[in-house]
Structure formats: structure tokens, C-alpha cells
Amino acid sequence: MRQAYRSRSAFILGWVWVAFAALNVFDLIVRYNGKASLVALAVLAVLTALVYLAALRPVTLFTEAALVGRNPLRTTTLPWASIEEATVSHSINVRYDGRLLRLWTPISGARERAKAQRRGAAPPRRGRFNTEPVLSPAEQAAAQALAGKTHADWVGEQIAERAESARRREQDAGQVRVSWAFDSFAALAVALVMVVVAVVAG
């Protein structure tokens, strides 16, 4: 079973940009007027490549066998038993074989962490009577467990738990695989070609 964790807002905005860029490319082709259209196409290509790298490509995948960290330029596949430690600062940092993998998603920004801290604080009492709904013991325990935790904290804990479980079952650590993101390089190459064409045409 695969689970994917990414920045939802960045992913949505990324696809909104792709749709916007596609409409503009169509318009520029239909109303082509030489140098100006080529420059606009080059700018759209560069911005779209950057949006793809930063917003659409990064994802953290959980599979049965491994953690897959897809960053802008590389994809790292870590068998669960090969993971030594997972900590969370601004990003989720995964240690393996004496090396460090920083996952691009999800991240823990200052605003999200402050919101999580406020969520974990007890609500202030207003007036003489408590009008807030009373939580059941199970709901109170869940609220305390989540108090002050961001989505990145939760995902980091899941990584650590899965790694510990794999080690307890004495699973084979397997081989860590790191590969270049050829899709990212293809997007950058297209952008570079468009820039060269716009410059040469001038």
C-alpha cells in the first residue's frame, strides 16, 4: 500500500500554474509575432520548469518495502530497515548509512508550528460557566498526543516507527538506491532550449 505526502497547497498551485502556462502557450502560438512571442515562451518555459521542480515533483512515498524521497533533482529509495533515525526541524531529516536525506515534503514552517502550539494549548475560560463541549477521555488523549505537532512531525514519527518495526522483524536492510531525476533535467533542458532560441532569434 502506497501513501504519498506532499505540500497540498504547492501541488494545487503548481497545477494551476501549468494550466495558466498552457493557455498562454496556446495563445502565443496562435498570435505569434516573432521575437516578443519567443521571449514570452522562454519565460513561461523557465518558470514552468522551476514550478515543476519545486512544487510538483517533490513527494514522500511510503511503500511496503521502502521509503521513497523524491526531491527536485534526485530520487532516494531507502528500505525501512536501513533507516537509522528520523528527526524533524524545518524538514524531515532521515539518517541512513552515515548519510542524511532531507525530505522536501512535508515541511514544518514557523507559521504551522505556531498554529500547532496554539491548538495544543487549553482554550481560555469565558464567563462563569464553561460552555465549551466536554471531551471524552479518548478525545482528550488524542488531543494531547497531537498537541504542538505539525504534519511533518507526524510523518517523521511514522518513518521512525516503520524503521524500528522493520529492525525488530530483522528485515534485510537491502540496498539504498539513489537516482537522478531525468524528468527534472528534461524540463530544464526544454527551458534552456527555449531561452537559446529566444536569444538567437534576437
Side-chain angles (χ1 to χ4, degrees), residues 115-186:
K115 184 178 177 182
Q117 294 291 345
R118 287 195 303 272
R119 187 176 60 236
R125 298 240 352 219
R126 295 184 178 90
R128 293 171 51 191
F129 303 102
N130 185 10
T131 57
E132 297 294 327
V134 178
L135 299 177
S136 69
E139 290 172 327
Q140 289 176 3
Q144 289 174 356
L146 294 174
K149 290 184 181 177
T150 65
H151 187 212
D153 292 324
W154 184 82
V155 173
E157 288 179 359
Q158 297 301 307
I159 293 171
E161 287 175 9
R162 288 195 179 212
E164 180 61 29
S165 176
R167 285 194 295 271
R168 281 200 306 267
R169 293 196 306 269
E170 298 183 352
Q171 284 186 355
D172 182 18
Q175 185 172 359
V176 174
R177 295 192 309 276
V178 181
S179 58
W180 291 108
F182 295 110
D183 51 335
S184 295
F185 288 110

Side-chain angles (χ1 to χ4, degrees), residues 7 9-10 15 19 30 34 44 56 62 64-65 81 83 99 103 105 113 122 132 146 149 154 168 172 176 199-200:
S7 170
S9 57
W15 280 112
V30 169
L44 281 172
L56 296 179
F62 287 12
E64 289 295 331
I83 295 173
R99 289 181 284 177
L103 300 174
T105 60
R113 192 162 293 285
E132 297 294 327
L146 294 174
K149 290 184 181 177
W154 184 82
R168 281 200 306 267
D172 182 18
V176 174
V199 170
V200 170

Side-chain angles (χ1 to χ4, degrees), residues 5-7 49-61 67-78 91-94 96 100-107 159 177-185 188:
Y5 300 99
R6 55 168 38 104
S7 170
L50 294 176
V51 166
Y52 177 74
L53 264 67
L56 296 179
R57 189 174 198 285
V59 64
T60 297
L61 292 173
L67 167 70
V68 181
R70 208 168 74 182
N71 290 348
L73 297 177
R74 289 191 302 181
T75 298
T76 305
T77 303
L78 302 175
S91 62
I92 300 174
N93 306 308
V94 181
Y96 67 98
L100 179 67
L101 168 65
R102 286 189 174 88
L103 300 174
W104 275 55
T105 60
I107 60 171
I159 293 171
R177 295 192 309 276
V178 181
S179 58
W180 291 108
F182 295 110
D183 51 335
S184 295
F185 288 110
L188 291 171

